[in-house]
Amino acid sequence: MRVVSLVPSLTEAVAVTAPGLLVGVTDWCTHPEGLTAARIGGTKNPDVAAITALAPDLVIANEEENRAPDLAALREAGPDVLVTEIRTLDQAFTELARVLTTGCGLTRPRWLDEAETAWAELPAPSASPRPAVVPIWRRPWMVLGRDTFAGDLLARLGVRNVYADHAERYPRIPLDELNASGAELVVLPDEPYRFTADDGPEAFPGLPAALVDGRLLTWYGPSLLQAAQELPSALRRPPRPRSGPR
């Protein structure tokens, strides 16, 4: 079977399970290291002609990361297109199994069972979750809103996204509103915006800042096992920020 992946998380899932299947991946597919499949553009601007030329049996995609017109063009060109929807951890496990077993015809991998077990064995979240804001961009400031995979992971770890009920999934919120939101924590991933100890925490004076690996918070695939092992401690007692310019 020949597979093209338009989603970095799914690329990693297939590559770790059966690396020989992948013939095309996006420019944003960084894991695992050493991918040799052809690069076929970005998640939002894949080269349909280049993908078609690879003669894939299956293209795997995601309803959030990929654009409907591109997926329609690929279907019209011939290959089967499997589109995932992943906005919760439970959906991640279900969709990963569907991609690997139904889509790619593989045996369910051990890493998927291990990741599911690791999350199931975590302590139940507190009845009083810690309210937090979760920026994903600055200039302008954008945060996690409703119905996101990362938000569901945080909820399972005792962190309540204060914008989880916002009408938008990734709203733009002025910084003064973020600081007045009642949050007791700011969670700063290093992707898509690369927040660092010197770029992000200073905008939230007085709030503890948890700098987390964005891949562990937003990717669904083999990293889910590492996420279950590392995110709880990263969120537990983050340091308070240094004051500085906004």
Side-chain angles (χ1 to χ4, degrees):
M1 171 173 274
R2 298 170 62 82
V3 177
V4 169
S5 172
L6 302 183
V7 184
S9 295
L10 299 179
T11 294
E12 183 179 23
V14 174
V16 167
T17 307
L21 296 188
L22 288 170
V23 296
V25 298
T26 76
D27 297 338
W28 301 104
C29 293
T30 57
H31 289 75
E33 294 184 2
L35 285 169
T36 58
R39 299 290 173 163
I40 45 74
T43 57
K44 305 297 185 187
N45 58 344
D47 186 331
V48 173
I51 294 171
T52 303
L54 291 171
D57 302 295
L58 179 69
V59 175
I60 51 178
N62 176 264
E63 51 87 30
E64 178 180 15
E65 293 204 43
N66 307 120
R67 302 186 314 138
D70 294 324
L71 301 182
L74 285 166
R75 288 192 181 95
E76 186 174 350
D80 288 337
V81 179
L82 189 160
V83 182
T84 58
E85 179 181 315
I86 300 176
R87 301 190 183 187
T88 68
L89 181 62
D90 289 341
Q91 279 186 313
F93 290 130
T94 299
E95 291 287 63
L96 284 165
R98 183 167 73 100
V99 167
L100 296 171
T101 61
T102 303
C104 297
L106 302 170
T107 300
R108 182 182 170 97
R110 176 182 294 181
W111 65 257
L112 185 54
D113 290 332
E114 291 175 346
E116 194 162 4
T117 298
W119 279 94
E121 291 179 346
L122 288 177
S126 167
S128 301
R130 197 175 188 188
V133 292
V134 191
I136 58 168
W137 203 258
R138 68 182 301 175
R139 304 182 191 95
W141 287 95
M142 298 176 65
V143 299
L144 290 186
R146 65 171 180 84
D147 197 22
T148 66
F149 173 74
D152 186 61
L153 256 58
L154 290 171
R156 293 169 184 267
L157 298 173
V159 175
R160 177 179 62 83
N161 173 18
V162 298
Y163 290 100
D165 295 326
H166 196 279
E168 299 177 25
R169 298 186 66 215
Y170 303 102
R172 298 184 181 188
I173 308 291
L175 183 58
D176 57 350
E177 291 186 27
L178 295 179
N179 276 299
S181 66
E184 298 175 5
L185 172 72
V186 57
V187 179
L188 297 169
D190 62 6
E191 62 174 73
Y193 184 90
R194 188 172 180 79
F195 289 106
T196 68
D198 298 316
D199 184 0
E202 81 290 342
F204 300 89
L207 272 187
L211 292 160
V212 300
D213 185 331
R215 178 167 160 266
L216 300 187
L217 186 62
T218 63
W219 285 42
Y220 34 84
S223 60
L224 283 170
L225 178 58
Q226 185 183 354
Q229 296 167 339
E230 297 184 12
L231 283 179
S233 59
L235 296 166
R236 194 169 295 127
R237 291 189 180 278
R240 291 188 173 274
R242 293 172 290 180
S243 60
R246 298 188 188 182

